[in-house]
Amino acid sequence: MTTSHKTRFHHAAFLPALTLSAFLVGVGGTAIADTTPSAPLEISGKQASIEIVDFMQFTPEELTVEAGTTVVFTNLDGSNHKITVDGAHSGRMSMNKQWAHTFDTAGTFPYACTMHPRMKGTITVQ
Ligand SMILES: [Cu+2]
């Protein structure tokens, strides 16, 4: 399996959201899910998307893209999820959050949610 990959978008775009989450957890000692949409991802080149919907369902589970495609994951589910694919990790994604990973090399890339073992799929890069 190849491990060669590159993430082109800027991780810095996520820092404000993380900071906000930390702030909300601090208020009154009660965790409040931050469900404000992610800032728009800066993506150049081909894009594809996978959404999490209907209580822990990746849609589509099987996705085929061309090399160089950035796959954007969007959590439209009420549950939090943590996606892992190609050695990259999304961190915890609450509702309406997005995370993207660019696949530069052909191959078969299983992906999964580390919080929910039955959530998994495969991205095929041609
Ligand atoms: Cu999950």
Side-chain angles (χ1 to χ4, degrees), residues 9-87:
F9 69 94
H10 298 286
H11 288 282
F14 292 90
L15 288 176
L18 292 174
T19 304
L20 181 59
S21 294
F23 174 75
L24 289 173
V25 169
V27 176
T30 304
I32 302 168
D34 169 19
T35 58
T36 54
S38 296
L41 303 180
E42 296 176 23
I43 297 168
S44 57
K46 295 180 284 280
Q47 270 185 65
S49 60
I50 293 175
E51 296 177 342
I52 301 170
V53 298
D54 294 339
F55 199 57
M56 305 184 193
Q57 180 67 49
F58 284 120
T59 307
E61 288 185 329
E62 311 290 323
L63 178 68
T64 300
V65 299
E66 291 177 45
T69 298
T70 298
V71 176
V72 179
F73 293 85
T74 304
N75 182 10
L76 298 177
D77 194 3
S79 301
N80 294 323
H81 301 286
K82 290 182 180 177
I83 298 164
T84 179
V85 61
D86 189 24

Side-chain angles (χ1 to χ4, degrees), residues 74-120:
T74 304
N75 182 10
L76 298 177
D77 194 3
S79 301
N80 294 323
H81 301 286
K82 290 182 180 177
I83 298 164
T84 179
V85 61
D86 189 24
H89 304 278
S90 68
R92 190 173 66 144
M93 294 173 66
S94 53
M95 193 178 193
N96 295 325
K97 298 306 180 192
Q98 291 188 308
W99 177 71
H101 183 71
T102 301
F103 295 85
D104 285 327
T105 310
T108 301
F109 301 89
Y111 69 94
C113 172
T114 58
M115 299 173 74
H116 307 111
R118 73 178 174 88
M119 292 179 65
K120 51 192 172 186

